[in-house]
Amino acid sequence: MNAPSPTDTHKVTIVPEAEIAALMTPEDAFGAVEATFAAMATGAAYNFPVIREDIGHAEALYGFKSGFDRESLAMGLKSGGYWPGNEARGLTNHQSTVILFDADTGRVTALVGGNLLTALRTAAASAVSIKHLARPDAKVLGMVGAGHQSAFQMRAACAQRDFEKVVGWNYHPEMLTRLEDTARDLGLPFEAVSLEELGAQSDVIITITSSHQAQLMSDWVKPGTHIACMGTDTKGKQEVDAQLLARAAVFTDEVAQSVSIGEAQHAIAQGLIAESDIAQIGAVINGAHPGRSSAEEITLFDGTGVGLQDLAVAAKVVDLAVARGVATQVAF
């Protein structure tokens, strides 16, 4: 094939936020994220250093996550962050856009709305951990946090195990209606409980908060539980007691992020665990790590959120948009 001349028309595919819901399913997101974690564990895919800044305006956090997957050739970045005042404007607090590039030429290939994709890929990550680490007989799902992301988390989790009940806790109890409504949609009973009772009942626990102080204590978690910590993605955040990581077999999406901005940062700082104690979930997917060692072992997934997840789901949605003839392409 001849190299394109400078006058060749280059097309960029645009998939706006409004089109994502009709294109991307939780199942597609799960497959894309699982494959990405597996590629990361072999070294075929890697993330670039995260940039995340308090911009000093609108109380916003803004930054970039990026990376490259040599297997899928997904390359690009997600730009965005958190604007706490957006809800009052009728907007989602988390705002992001994914930009994809051609790995052979470096030219931009796609611009994709990233808000719903972020919710789907985050839920897919915890679901992957449940598939590979939770006990097969898990019956009670515990939800810590009832924000926007919690409904996505619950739906994705319930696709992995035959849960019989959901229990939940939130700092603002009036928000628990989101969990109750989602559980009802899934045909499951819901009970609002204390955090201590949540730990006593749950076989799988998902934490999805923006807390900067441990909420779930180690002594409250029973043997055999799987915990997916999905809210800690910034230095200083913390959802669970650092002692819990010392009790558990700890897995993560990316070790470097886990020890610096993830839930493991606190256990590492206190000398309770070492970086070498943390395994990549991709190694379990690939069969290089056995995963759960017994029915009594506590397993914990530190889901920090990596750029490669965003690239994987964005690349998938672009393929779907093109295949279904709904993609917008513009000369660039």
Side-chain angles (χ1 to χ4, degrees):
M1 179 182 295
N2 293 327
S5 72
T7 58
D8 286 342
T9 300
H10 174 58
K11 298 286 189 179
V12 173
T13 300
I14 299 176
V15 186
E17 186 67 39
E19 299 290 339
I20 303 296
L23 292 167
M24 194 67 173
T25 66
E27 293 77 18
D28 284 330
F30 182 97
V33 169
E34 186 177 45
T36 293
F37 286 163
M40 287 172 58
T42 66
Y46 60 102
N47 296 283
F48 305 152
V50 174
I51 297 172
R52 189 172 175 88
E53 298 289 338
D54 181 341
I55 65 173
H57 178 75
E59 299 181 62
L61 293 174
Y62 176 71
F64 303 89
K65 289 186 175 182
S66 56
F68 176 50
D69 188 333
R70 293 190 186 93
E71 291 186 358
S72 70
L73 297 185
M75 183 176 75
L77 59 90
K78 181 176 79 169
S79 173
Y82 184 76
W83 274 258
N86 273 5
E87 189 172 358
R89 297 182 173 94
L91 300 171
T92 302
N93 288 347
H94 289 90
Q95 292 289 322
S96 61
T97 302
V98 182
I99 307 173
L100 299 176
F101 297 86
D102 187 314
D104 294 320
T105 67
R107 296 200 295 186
V108 62
T109 59
L111 190 67
V112 184
N115 295 347
L116 178 57
L117 286 181
T118 297
L120 289 170
R121 67 81 150 156
T122 305
S126 63
V128 168
S129 81
I130 292 168
K131 173 185 175 180
H132 292 280
L133 296 172
R135 296 196 328 268
D137 62 347
K139 297 301 180 185
V140 178
L141 173 64
M143 297 292 305
V144 178
H148 175 73
Q149 179 66 36
S150 63
F152 292 93
Q153 292 287 331
M154 188 191 301
R155 292 182 184 279
C158 288
Q160 300 306 315
R161 292 292 186 272
D162 292 324
F163 292 112
E164 297 176 352
K165 180 183 180 181
V166 179
V167 295
W169 177 90
N170 192 65
Y171 184 79
H172 299 286
E174 65 274 13
M175 293 176 63
L176 288 171
T177 53
R178 176 179 277 117
L179 297 181
E180 185 174 13
D181 291 345
T182 305
R184 184 187 303 112
D185 289 345
L186 293 166
L188 295 172
F190 173 79
E191 182 182 1
V193 296
S194 67
L195 278 169
E196 187 170 2
E197 183 60 26
L198 185 144
Q201 290 196 40
S202 301
D203 301 306
V204 172
I205 299 172
I206 298 174
T207 62
I208 184 67
T209 73
S210 57
S211 176
H212 282 70
Q213 184 174 354
Q215 297 173 321
L216 184 68
M217 296 295 106
S218 177
D219 290 345
W220 300 342
V221 177
K222 66 182 182 180
T225 303
H226 173 64
I227 306 107
C229 297
M230 305 305 297
T232 299
D233 59 359
T234 304
K235 191 170 182 61
K237 281 188 175 182
Q238 184 178 14
E239 297 192 289
V240 305
D241 183 5
Q243 291 285 348
L244 182 55
L245 280 79
R247 284 182 66 197
V250 181
F251 302 83
T252 191
D253 40 22
E254 184 177 82
V255 175
Q257 286 193 184
S258 176
V259 302
S260 59
I261 62 173
E263 196 64 42
Q265 64 182 281
H266 307 286
I268 289 285
Q270 295 175 36
L272 297 173
I273 63 172
E275 184 172 330
S276 58
D277 294 324
I278 305 171
Q280 284 184 286
I281 187 68
V284 182
I285 297 168
N286 292 333
H289 189 290
R292 171 176 290 277
S293 64
S294 72
E296 296 298 301
E297 183 176 50
I298 294 173
T299 54
L300 185 146
F301 174 66
D302 186 5
T304 66
V306 295
L308 285 167
Q309 290 173 256
D310 300 296
L311 305 187
V313 292
K316 179 65 178 179
V317 87
V318 168
D319 289 343
L320 291 169
V322 171
R324 297 179 191 178
V326 298
T328 299
Q329 295 188 315
V330 298
F332 187 82

